[in-house]
């Protein structure tokens, strides 16, 4: 069992930066690939970024590539999403998820555990 708790969301202006954190507790956190997804009002869940269990491989949605960076700290059992040059279309609830596939999968069905989400709002 893995429990995930996101933090770091908030209200920012377009062009600003935010860093989301996802604190994990439970067994074998280091063996899970981790991902970030988001859901905007009235829209489906959208893949944002993922990182392999080792941290050596990452994947990003085209919409965030070059602006967002995912990383993980095994000693702290925490995954981060650094978000730069935020845009109003990045407004959503951001969810952290853990996958036993080891690889940075973009498929939400591959994730076994999900956090409760943190709201990110980007205004103009």
């Amino acid at each position: 069992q893995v429990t995930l708790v996101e933090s770091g969301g908030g209200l920012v202006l377009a062009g600003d930066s935010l860093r989301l954190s996802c604190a994990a507790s439970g067994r074998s956190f280091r063996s899970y690939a981790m991902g970030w997804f988001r859901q905007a009002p009235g829209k489906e869940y959208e893949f944002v970024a993922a990182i392999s269990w080792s941290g050596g491989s990452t994947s990003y949605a085209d919409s965030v590539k070059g602006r967002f960076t995912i990383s993980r700290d095994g000693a702290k059992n925490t995954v981060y999403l650094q978000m730069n040059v935020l845009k109003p279309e990045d407004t959503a609830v951001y969810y952290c998820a853990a996958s036993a596939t080891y690889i940075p999968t973009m498929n939400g069905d591959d994730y076994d555990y999900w956090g409760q989400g943190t709201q990110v709002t980007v205004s103009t």
Side-chain angles (χ1 to χ4, degrees):
Q1 184 74 19
V2 176
T3 301
L4 306 172
V5 179
E6 303 95 336
S7 62
L11 172 63
V12 296
L13 295 174
D16 284 352
S17 298
L18 272 178
R19 188 177 79 159
L20 304 183
S21 299
C22 173
S25 60
R27 300 176 59 185
S28 304
F29 164 75
R30 297 183 184 185
S31 66
Y32 285 87
M34 300 297 296
W36 286 95
F37 291 77
R38 65 187 182 187
Q39 186 174 30
K43 295 189 177 181
E44 297 290 324
Y45 273 92
E46 175 187 20
F47 168 76
V48 176
I51 188 166
S52 63
W53 70 274
S54 67
S57 180
T58 57
S59 60
Y60 295 92
D62 288 342
S63 60
V64 307
K65 202 170 293 183
R67 298 188 297 123
F68 291 11
T69 303
I70 188 171
S71 61
R72 66 190 298 162
D73 186 334
K76 296 182 178 179
N77 280 4
T78 301
V79 176
Y80 303 98
L81 184 68
Q82 177 66 44
M83 306 186 294
N84 298 328
V85 194
L86 282 161
K87 304 175 181 180
E89 51 263 44
D90 294 318
T91 295
V93 177
Y94 283 70
Y95 297 89
C96 173
S99 169
T101 62
Y102 303 116
I103 60 174
T105 174
M106 296 186 288
N107 186 350
D109 291 339
D110 290 334
Y111 288 82
D112 307 286
Y113 302 101
W114 294 79
Q116 294 299 307
T118 185
Q119 176 71 47
V120 173
T121 303
V122 185
S123 65
T124 56

